[in-house]
Amino acid sequence: MELKPGLSAFITGGASGIGKALALAFAKRGIFVTVVDTSEVHGKEVSFLVEKENRKFHSDLKLPLSLFIRCDVTNTRDVAAAFEKHLQTYGGLDICINSAGIATPIPFYKDKTDGEVSWRKTVRINLIAVIDCTRLAIQAMRHAGKPGVILNLGSASGLYPMYDDPIYSATKGAVILFTRSLVPYKRQGIRVNVLCPEFVETELASKVNSKFIELSGGFLPMEMVVNGAFELITDETKAGKCLWITKRRGMEYWPTPMEERKYLINPSTYKRSFSYTKPNLEIPESFEKIVVHTLTHNFRNATKIVRTQLSFAIKPQHVLVKILYAGVNASDVNFSSGRYYRGNDKETASRLPFDAGFEAVGLIAAVGDSVKDLRIGTPVALMTFGGYAEFLMVPSKHILPVARPDPEVVAMLTSGLTASIALEKAAQMESGKIVLVTAAAGGTGQFAVQLAKLAGNKVVATCGGEEKAALLKSLGVDRVIDYKSENIKAVLKKEFPRGVDIIYESVGGEMFDVCLNALAVYGRLIVIGMISKYQGEHGWKPSNYTGLCEKILGKSQTVAGFFLVQYANLWQQHLDRLYDLFSSGKLKVSVDPKQFLGIGSVVEAVEYLHSGKSVGKVVVCIDPTFNQQQAKL
Ligand code: NAP
């Protein structure tokens, strides 16, 4: 639905808070608004402001450009009359916002009453009235015979418990499931969605413990809530959707597609998400994999392909995965040189030969007897060692279920997760800052720039080459610095004299020095890696940063390290979020177009990444027959 002049909206609780903000935002688009509230003074004031704004669009119209109707939403007759009045005045109903809500007047654990003036009242206003208004809005929209959108105000405390006010939490949780169950109305042109903001600075939130609000990252700007509401109203694909908005994480749909897959049993939905031709899942007697036989950062010299017998005895808690795509990482060469194993060279050498590769996606080919939650054919991702193989047996607890076994999903693993978790945890990224990303057109850089943009930051990105610069511009980067045509240091000094607040740095060496000098007071520089050091002639020598302590002390800066392996507890959650952003079109995933087919192409792929020519994520198709099947579709 396009928000345009001449539409009409009905808003309960429109005299204050989110209801008021939406009424004023609609007025700015020339939309007629009926404000329904118990507070006459505030309600009339909002209606007056809406009318004033609306005059700019409808200077000649005789009908009232806004109505205020004093009405208690728990009184079904009065509410029905209010809807009737709206229909008579505007000839239809396009948008209904059910925003009226209260916190429980007496804390549940102190309540000695029968609940009539406390928790029962909360249930009547927050839940029963929402159901009633939804019912009446559906009737009104059907009566007018035009499409409509109903937006119920849930709350983040309907998604997880709110210990201070369990009744509030319960009513909001119920509103969410009520709304999510109304998807079938879409067939009649009526979309019902629910918006779940965390804390917004309204009268309602003034009753919440301020320490808790601080811990959640502070109040959400009202603008974010309005943007979220507008998305649910304008996007025709959104029906029965629940949008969760937090200061910490921005806008996210709940549940994620991954969570949905755990309970959806509708066969047509199931089929849609697996609409690829499944490869042959027969288990062969042997398979090929890449092993490291000599410790060196030269991946070609370090590795070889070996053929291994496949054990048919799947351990009870294990699954066998047929690998379709494996991801190539800058650190493959660190792994082959033994850097990922602690201990002295002799101890590391005693582990040889060991399996190479960090990440892959594929399909489950066999399950152990004790594995009950995974089935043959399920698409999965793995982030365990041994990804450069045709098959891999792993404990089922290490399996990450995914929607599709695609190259884009491989990119979301090490590369995407590093950006997502590092920016949240190490960089503590908020909005309104300047974020600099180096090697930004690479595997992980492409995610970092987009996540920083989505969080509302200004993004500066470095890369080497025109093709990469074009990709970064298409991803929304505000200032791309192609170091092949511009001097990074000079650009940063001239255009960002105050410095940069967050730096996602993965090149190391001279680039690290340039970045540190460009860091603002209180800035945070996150050491993601140092790819420029990985392949030196004599291997990687530790750096010596003279004066580092003095520098960061003088400007209250932080230089923080980040290593994905230490955040395994957050992988599934962040992967779901990335996939959600990707499937809703908010996140693009760039996979380098150069094709690497079969285990035999892995070495070439690793060398290609280190040549500096790759754009986006480098992926190897381990089973080329699967790739051909896909191409034919
Ligand atoms: P990538 O960014 O796709 O790597 C390729 C890009 O790096 C190249 O296109 C080039 O970009 C730059 N590059 C390559 N060789 C270089 C060299 N010798 N000197 C300067 N720049 C060079 O690779 P990735 O796998 O996503 O890894 C990127 C970085 O993130 C690496 O440092 C890696 O170790 C790190 N990483 C860290 C973690 C963690 O947990 N900390 C996890 C994943 C990755 P431009 O020339 O366009 O700059």
Side-chain angles (χ1 to χ4, degrees), residues 457-472:
N457 296 290
K458 181 165 191 166
V459 177
V460 186
T462 73
C463 69
E466 282 174 19
E467 200 188 338
K468 295 181 187 185
L471 169 73
L472 291 170

Side-chain angles (χ1 to χ4, degrees), residues 328-331 414-415 418 439 442-444 462-464 468 483 506-507 528-532 534 562-564 609-610 612-614 616:
V328 179
N329 286 285
S331 269
T414 310
S415 300
T418 297
T444 188
T462 73
C463 69
K468 295 181 187 185
Y483 62 76
S506 44
V507 175
I528 296 296
M530 42 213 74
I531 190 168
S532 66
Y534 298 165
F562 176 85
F563 196 35
L564 184 62
L609 185 143
H610 281 279
K613 290 185 194 140
S614 59

Side-chain angles (χ1 to χ4, degrees), residues 20-219:
K20 175 179 173 181
L22 285 173
L24 299 178
F26 287 146
K28 287 208 164 75
R29 309 269 178 140
I31 296 170
F32 308 124
V33 180
T34 294
V35 176
V36 173
D37 210 295
T38 46
S39 163
E40 190 148 0
V41 179
H42 295 121
K44 280 188 170 162
E45 188 190 318
V46 174
S47 189
F48 170 77
L49 294 172
V50 171
E51 171 103 26
K52 201 169 140 198
E53 196 65 37
N54 249 337
R55 275 281 157 238
K56 296 176 189 162
F57 296 88
H58 312 281
S59 52
D60 302 333
L61 271 186
K62 293 275 177 290
L63 56 89
L65 304 182
S66 176
L67 293 175
F68 167 69
I69 301 175
R70 189 173 180 282
C71 168
D72 178 345
V73 285
T74 62
N75 184 325
T76 190
R77 268 201 213 157
D78 288 357
V79 185
F83 272 103
E84 189 53 39
K85 174 90 178 149
H86 181 98
L87 277 184
Q88 278 169 9
T89 312
Y90 300 116
L93 173 65
D94 302 291
I95 302 162
C96 172
I97 309 283
N98 292 319
S99 186
I102 60 164
T104 311
I106 307 171
F108 185 66
Y109 49 89
K110 287 188 185 158
D111 195 352
K112 302 271 188 297
T113 73
D114 64 357
E116 203 44 42
V117 292
S118 55
W119 63 268
R120 287 180 203 274
K121 189 173 170 192
T122 312
V123 174
R124 280 197 296 268
I125 296 176
N126 291 9
L127 177 59
I128 296 176
V130 170
I131 296 173
D132 204 24
C133 289
T134 304
R135 173 185 74 89
L136 290 164
I138 289 171
Q139 266 179 23
M141 286 168 183
R142 271 188 180 159
H143 178 77
K146 281 199 305 167
V149 182
I150 300 167
L151 186 61
N152 291 330
L153 261 299
S155 159
S157 56
L159 298 170
Y160 45 81
M162 187 185 193
Y163 305 116
D164 279 359
D165 193 342
I167 302 300
Y168 183 82
S169 212
T171 58
K172 293 297 181 180
V175 165
I176 291 167
L177 277 176
F178 167 63
T179 310
R180 287 180 51 205
S181 306
L182 298 179
V183 178
Y185 280 106
K186 194 180 172 205
R187 275 186 241 124
Q188 298 172 26
I190 299 168
R191 295 186 286 112
V192 195
N193 293 309
V194 57
L195 189 66
C196 295
E198 220 163 59
F199 298 110
V200 193
E201 201 163 9
T202 60
E203 208 194 311
L204 199 80
S206 65
K207 304 199 168 70
V208 181
N209 185 333
S210 60
K211 273 208 186 112
F212 190 62
I213 294 173
E214 253 168 58
L215 283 173
S216 78
F219 284 120

Side-chain angles (χ1 to χ4, degrees), residues 59 163 172 256 324 395 431 513 515 622:
S59 52
Y163 305 116
K172 293 297 181 180
T256 63
L324 298 175
S431 54
D513 296 339
C515 288
I622 299 290

Side-chain angles (χ1 to χ4, degrees), residues 422-578:
L423 286 173
E424 182 181 303
K425 296 293 174 195
Q428 296 168 18
M429 182 173 71
E430 292 175 352
S431 54
K433 304 279 182 207
I434 300 174
V435 179
L436 170 66
V437 179
T438 62
T444 188
Q446 61 167 321
F447 287 95
V449 295
Q450 292 183 79
L451 294 173
K453 272 306 306 169
L454 282 169
N457 296 290
K458 181 165 191 166
V459 177
V460 186
T462 73
C463 69
E466 282 174 19
E467 200 188 338
K468 295 181 187 185
L471 169 73
L472 291 170
K473 278 186 194 135
S474 75
L475 297 181
V477 171
D478 299 283
R479 177 64 164 100
V480 180
I481 314 175
D482 173 0
Y483 62 76
K484 292 197 172 160
S485 57
E486 287 185 288
N487 181 297
I488 300 177
K489 194 172 163 184
V491 173
L492 291 175
K493 203 170 168 192
K494 185 166 171 234
E495 296 179 29
F496 303 93
R498 194 186 60 76
V500 174
D501 303 301
I502 293 173
I503 306 184
Y504 186 87
E505 209 302 276
S506 44
V507 175
E510 280 174 34
M511 183 68 93
F512 176 86
D513 296 339
V514 170
C515 288
L516 190 61
N517 285 328
L519 197 61
V521 176
Y522 307 123
R524 296 181 77 85
L525 188 158
I526 314 307
V527 177
I528 296 296
M530 42 213 74
I531 190 168
S532 66
K533 299 280 171 189
Y534 298 165
Q535 288 226 307
E537 208 177 312
H538 305 291
W540 181 1
K541 296 262 180 307
S543 325
N544 200 350
Y545 291 104
T546 317
L548 177 71
C549 294
E550 291 77 0
K551 222 171 212 168
I552 61 174
L553 174 69
K555 289 191 176 177
S556 300
Q557 295 165 328
T558 305
V559 174
F562 176 85
F563 196 35
L564 184 62
V565 176
Q566 275 131 17
Y567 291 86
N569 58 323
L570 298 176
W571 290 355
Q572 184 77 62
Q573 177 196 336
H574 279 252
L575 186 58
D576 286 356
R577 178 168 174 245
L578 288 171

